[in-house]
Amino acid sequence: MSKAPIVLAVDTPELATAIEWVKATHDYVSVYKLGLEFFLTFGSDGVKAIRDVTDADIFLDLKLHDIPHTVSGAAKAVSHLAPRFLTVHASGGPAMIKAAVEASPKTHVTGVTILTSLSEEDVTQIGFRQNALDSAVSLAKIAVAAGAGAIVCSPLEIAAIRAAVGPTPIIITPGVRPADSAAADDQARTMTPKAAISTGANLVVIGRPITQSWSAGAAAMRDRSAHIASDLI
Ligand code: C5P
């Protein structure tokens, strides 16, 4: 079986565990997402340790947001790791996004739109004039116009963003839950991975629905990733 369009969220504070997760799943997982906790704890050496056990792509989820000069420096600082995806907050604006794009030519600079943890009330309070959906669409358009190759959005925004940015940008969505998942965890408004892909996403971010199977061992985790992948290939 070939790899599925799954980004596995490697959310663990232990490097040895992260490496075991990758070994157990890399026949089925296309991309590994390493976030702030991972990167601030293990740094470039941690990313290299993951690279040593898989040729899968790396999604460096650093959600950069600063003045263009600083973001450019940060993007250059990680460019030797050649992540396939590097996130920036699209609300940092076109100049900041463009600075990241110019600093990391081999990477898809990935615009994060509106965090799904924000309520409509939060979105208004922060100062957005539109609701979360329309703000996410505007931010996606700004990001793509500034050179971003990928967008992160909630499953509920995929269709509107795909219609707004056209077929080329890679749309990545967290907040998905397989139909047989025991719990939604803290994900409020979910879609199944298959529904997200058929709505227009290119990649789905999945964490706990796969990683929780680790408590039953590596073989169980491998089976779980194969099962979820089989629905997407
Ligand atoms: O365990 P779970 O499948 O919920 O993991 C989803 C991953 O996607 C986590 O790393 C989480 O931080 C991330 N994420 C999310 N919702 C967003 C943005 C990122 O769940 N809006």
Side-chain angles (χ1 to χ4, degrees), residues 60-168:
L60 214 44
D61 192 13
L62 302 185
K63 293 194 177 68
L64 303 175
H65 189 171
D66 211 313
I67 60 170
H69 181 72
T70 301
V71 166
S72 172
K76 276 183 197 143
V78 295
S79 65
H80 70 285
L81 298 170
R84 174 142 183 252
F85 302 99
L86 171 66
T87 51
V88 302
H89 275 289
S91 55
M96 187 206 79
I97 297 162
K98 192 160 174 272
V101 170
E102 285 169 0
S104 44
K106 291 186 194 143
T107 295
H108 289 302
V109 169
T110 301
V112 175
T113 54
I114 299 278
L115 294 175
T116 48
S117 52
L118 298 176
S119 65
E120 289 293 345
E121 200 184 348
D122 295 330
V123 169
T124 307
Q125 201 177 17
I126 292 167
F128 285 100
R129 281 183 290 114
Q130 299 164 297
N131 63 22
L133 173 64
D134 293 336
S135 300
V137 171
S138 301
L139 287 165
K141 287 196 320 203
I142 288 168
V144 169
I151 294 295
V152 174
C153 65
S154 108
L156 305 179
E157 295 153 3
I158 297 167
I161 289 181
R162 178 58 77 203
V165 300
T168 311

